[in-house]
Amino acid sequence: MVFNWFERQAEESPKPEPTPTPAPTSEPAPAQEPTPEPTSVSSEVAVTQPEPTPAPEVTEEEDEALAWAREAYARLKAQQQSATRPAEAVPEPTPEPSPEPTPAPATVSLPTPSPLPSQPPTQTPSPTPAQGLSLLEQAAAQRQQRQQDLDNRAFEAPPAPTPAPAPEPTVDSDEPRLGDFDQDFTWSAEVLAAQGRRVDQVSLEEIDWLGRLRRGLEKTRQGFVTGLLENLGDDPLTPEVLDDLETLLLRADAGVQATDQVLDALRQRMNQEVVDPQEGICFLKEQLRGLLDAPIQASGVPLLAPERDRLNIWLMVGVNGVGKTTTLGKLANLAVRSGYSALIAAADTFRAAAVQQVEIWGERSDVPVVSNPSSNADPAAVVFDAIGAARSRGSDLLLVDTAGRLQTKHNLMEELQKVRKIIDRLAPEAKVESLLVLDASQGQNGLRQAMAFAEAAGLTGVVITKLDGTARGGVALAVSSEAGLPIRFIGAGEGIRDLRPFNSFEFIEALLAGR
């Protein structure tokens, strides 16, 4: 089943629909409980047992959101258990033929009465010539016998290096798995429910990503939400509280323009009516989401996704060390998992081992890579070849990895413009996106990079990475408000699945989780 992350839905949506029908209390209602009394049937009914475990807690004053989350958890758990059943049934017949060849060599070793157990057939003729041969001939025969033993053992040595390729699949095999029904799951389910999602529309992919995003923004949330809770208390909002909120927003690198816009809206609201802390938090979330959504709405593209039946070219630009190549590899994996055909152009020909790094990412996602093995090759030539390969293959998406450059180096910025001109001349019908990769830990310096690259590369969007390693997650607000660039993707981890399309509602809820 392919989950299209650009549309947030699975292709096989009608198939899992019959699963929630047995999941609710419809099974225990009929009088089928006396039949599974024997122990053999109890193992089969164990699939439905994890559902009634949370049932005693749902009884009295549980709100609708928590009940919705429990129903979604029961449905996902039933799907996961049904998917694991066939996998467990496959290895059962395999051990049966294995004991059959083992008794065969045992019967052969019994009739050999010779004192040497290793090779009975070869040693039977050895004692006969030992009586009539000289000592030199006997020593030569023994050396020949030892050499033959070493040769026989050499054939058994090659299978030793087989465990070497074993760790390779473990890197990519981070498939999402359903954990416990804890606070992390309930929060993720509530965020999906607040966006109007039904229970049968919830997928394990989304639950897993929201949990990663919430954990990734932990450092930013600790510095922002903790101080916000200490200042708010239970009393209505006051001008002093707004001053403290201004300090918290600036400390999170939200930017001066975004901070002033949010505080001005809060002051106008306070002049009209008394605002209690809960209403203030809701109003703050609305203002922050409005800041993030304004550039996205102005672009006319609410969600950046490759267009079908058309060549899409995405350029990844940015300074050194922000994670362009890693982001490109994650985007390739995201496109393949969403049902698109992708191709990678390794146009970063100046950095050492950059082409090898791109090829490794291509192997992990089974995406072909177009590169030039020669040192200091022309990036425009690599892009030229990649466009021809993408057309011949009929690829939906061509990801171009460009060389890192400082925004103050004008000659390198002109080289980037040359690559863009090659694309416009060779593929005028293609949909071109120029995405700037920003490291969230750089804060306001990343904002200055966005301003410089927007002039040279014609930026159409931003990808914010490394949100999990910094307390400056508020830089996303500065990029949207001051640079006016839409945020298209965000990364909150080092895994191959830790990059997803940007959603302002989910980002703000993860940033202010707990309020």
Side-chain angles (χ1 to χ4, degrees), residues 402-420:
T402 62
R405 63 205 73 226
L406 294 175
Q407 66 273 17
T408 56
K409 300 295 183 181
H410 299 288
N411 56 342
L412 295 179
M413 300 297 283
E414 291 176 358
E415 185 71 21
L416 186 60
Q417 294 178 354
K418 178 182 175 182
V419 173
R420 183 61 185 265

Side-chain angles (χ1 to χ4, degrees), residues 91-433:
E92 291 180 357
T94 53
E96 296 180 357
S98 59
E100 295 179 358
T102 52
T107 56
V108 178
S109 61
L110 290 175
T112 57
S114 61
L116 296 176
S118 61
Q119 291 183 352
T122 57
Q123 293 167 0
T124 49
S126 60
T128 55
Q131 298 177 357
L133 297 177
S134 63
L135 295 177
L136 295 177
E137 292 175 347
Q138 292 179 11
Q142 292 177 0
R143 285 195 302 270
Q144 184 178 3
Q145 181 65 31
R146 286 195 299 268
Q147 184 65 32
Q148 186 177 359
D149 294 341
L150 293 176
D151 295 340
N152 294 335
R153 294 176 184 175
F155 291 106
E156 300 176 358
T162 50
E168 294 181 359
T170 58
V171 180
D172 298 337
S173 62
D174 57 343
E175 295 289 337
R177 299 190 61 83
L178 185 64
D180 298 331
F181 187 78
D182 51 6
Q183 184 179 3
D184 201 7
F185 182 90
T186 55
W187 176 86
S188 302
E190 289 175 0
V191 171
L192 293 176
Q195 300 180 69
R197 307 293 293 275
R198 300 194 309 267
V199 176
D200 57 347
Q201 294 177 340
V202 177
S203 65
L204 188 57
E205 290 266 358
E206 295 171 302
I207 294 291
D208 179 71
W209 161 245
L210 289 176
R212 293 170 185 250
L213 179 62
R214 185 172 182 262
R215 292 188 297 269
L217 292 175
E218 181 67 26
K219 293 184 179 180
T220 304
R221 186 169 58 250
Q222 287 178 355
F224 186 76
V225 178
T226 303
L228 187 62
L229 295 178
E230 293 176 354
N231 294 324
L232 286 180
D234 298 330
D235 299 329
L237 297 184
T238 60
E240 291 76 11
V241 173
L242 294 185
D243 293 339
D244 296 334
L245 178 60
E246 180 180 6
T247 303
L248 293 174
L249 287 172
L250 292 176
R251 189 181 301 170
D253 268 352
V256 177
Q257 185 174 346
T259 302
D260 292 342
Q261 185 174 346
V262 171
L263 294 179
D264 291 343
L266 282 174
R267 290 189 181 96
Q268 293 179 3
R269 180 72 179 270
M270 289 173 55
N271 293 333
Q272 297 175 0
E273 58 181 345
V274 177
V275 181
D276 59 15
Q278 190 64 30
E279 293 179 358
I281 291 295
C282 294
F283 188 74
L284 176 62
K285 290 181 179 180
E286 293 177 1
Q287 293 299 316
L288 295 179
R289 287 197 299 266
L291 286 175
L292 295 173
D293 288 336
I296 299 176
Q297 295 175 357
S299 65
V301 182
L303 181 64
L304 181 61
E307 293 186 6
R308 299 286 186 181
D309 302 328
R310 182 182 181 183
L311 179 60
N312 301 265
I313 303 177
W314 292 1
L315 278 79
M316 313 304 296
V317 300
V319 301
N320 294 315
V322 295
K324 292 189 306 299
T325 304
T326 302
T327 301
L328 180 140
K330 294 178 181 180
L331 279 177
N333 182 269
L334 181 66
V336 171
R337 289 183 178 274
S338 301
Y340 294 91
S341 58
L343 184 68
I344 297 177
D348 186 0
T349 58
F350 302 124
R351 182 169 61 92
V355 176
Q356 290 79 0
Q357 185 181 2
V358 172
E359 291 176 350
I360 292 175
W361 279 106
E363 292 176 359
R364 294 179 64 179
S365 303
D366 195 16
V367 176
V369 178
V370 177
S371 62
N372 191 338
S374 60
S375 59
N376 295 330
D378 187 9
V382 176
V383 176
F384 183 92
D385 297 337
I387 293 176
R391 284 177 172 172
S392 61
R393 292 173 177 267
S395 301
D396 298 324
L397 178 62
L398 172 60
L399 296 169
V400 181
D401 184 24
T402 62
R405 63 205 73 226
L406 294 175
Q407 66 273 17
T408 56
K409 300 295 183 181
H410 299 288
N411 56 342
L412 295 179
M413 300 297 283
E414 291 176 358
E415 185 71 21
L416 186 60
Q417 294 178 354
K418 178 182 175 182
V419 173
R420 183 61 185 265
K421 291 179 180 178
I422 289 291
I423 295 176
D424 295 338
R425 181 169 59 87
L426 295 180
E429 79 287 353
K431 180 184 178 183
V432 183
E433 298 287 341

Side-chain angles (χ1 to χ4, degrees), residues 1-2 9-18 75 79 200-201:
M1 182 177 64
V2 176
Q9 65 181 3
E11 291 184 355
E12 298 180 1
S13 55
K15 292 184 180 179
E17 289 180 359
R75 184 177 181 276
Q79 287 182 354
D200 57 347
Q201 294 177 340

